[in-house]
């Protein structure tokens, strides 16, 4: 909505490099989060598996250090989303905002994909 928002979540490191987890009391879910791809200077592609009871959802995010990312990075994000079951029409890239400082990350996210745990 045109405003920056800082969200702080209690991530816990796991024994796997680049993998974190947290439980949300507010949303009553568990999150398994890992850094799927990064080059540290430009972007990080984050994969989040969210489990609420028997329902499992996938959320993919692409964070950038600047307001614009190279087209090849955006395409890798798109391909990653498609490979992990996210549909093309649900892949969203937020437009850059002039009011967002350069140091604040840009968020591009794929949709939530739901599936039931057996």
């Amino acid at each position: 909505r045109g405003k920056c928002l800082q969200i702080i979540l209690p991530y816990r490191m796991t024994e796997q490099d680049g993998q974190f987890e947290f439980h949300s009391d507010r949303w009553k879910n568990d999150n398994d989060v890992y850094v799927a791809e990064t080059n540290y200077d430009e972007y990080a592609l984050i994969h989040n598996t969210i489990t609420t009871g028997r329902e499992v959802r996938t959320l993919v995010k692409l964070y950038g250090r600047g307001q614009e990312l190279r087209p090849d990075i955006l395409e890798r994000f798109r391909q990653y989303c498609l490979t992990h079951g996210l549909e093309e029409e649900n892949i969203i890239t937020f437009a850059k905002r002039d009011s967002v400082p350069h140091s604040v990350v840009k968020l591009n996210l794929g949709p939530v994909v739901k599936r039931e745990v057996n």
Side-chain angles (χ1 to χ4, degrees):
R1 293 186 175 90
K3 294 184 179 183
C4 293
L5 176 66
Q6 180 178 6
I7 300 173
I8 299 173
L9 298 169
Y11 288 98
R12 289 180 301 280
M13 293 179 68
T14 67
E15 292 183 15
Q16 179 76 27
D17 287 343
Q19 186 170 10
F20 307 87
E21 58 186 24
F22 73 91
H23 173 79
S24 172
D25 289 329
R26 178 179 182 185
W27 301 108
K28 296 176 180 50
N29 62 28
D30 292 306
N31 293 260
D32 181 23
V33 181
Y34 66 92
V35 179
E37 182 179 322
T38 186
N39 73 359
Y40 297 100
D41 295 325
E42 290 181 274
Y43 72 97
L45 194 153
I46 308 298
H47 187 117
N48 185 1
T49 301
I50 305 162
T51 305
T52 307
R54 294 186 54 196
E55 182 180 79
V56 178
R57 297 173 290 153
T58 299
L59 177 65
V60 178
K61 303 176 188 178
L62 178 63
Y63 292 99
R65 291 210 180 259
Q67 290 185 359
E68 292 188 30
L69 292 170
R70 294 190 328 253
D72 64 303
I73 294 171
L74 293 173
E75 178 59 21
R76 282 205 304 273
F77 170 69
R78 188 179 80 75
Q79 289 298 322
Y80 185 91
C81 289
L82 294 173
T83 300
H84 288 84
L86 306 170
E87 296 178 10
E88 183 80 46
E89 62 270 10
N90 293 325
I91 300 172
I92 302 165
T93 302
F94 293 113
K96 73 175 186 176
R97 305 236 188 252
D98 292 333
S99 63
V100 178
H102 183 73
S103 61
V104 175
V105 296
K106 176 176 127 179
L107 171 66
N108 305 284
L109 61 105
V112 172
V113 172
K114 296 181 181 182
R115 65 185 185 279
E116 289 291 322
V117 176
N118 295 325

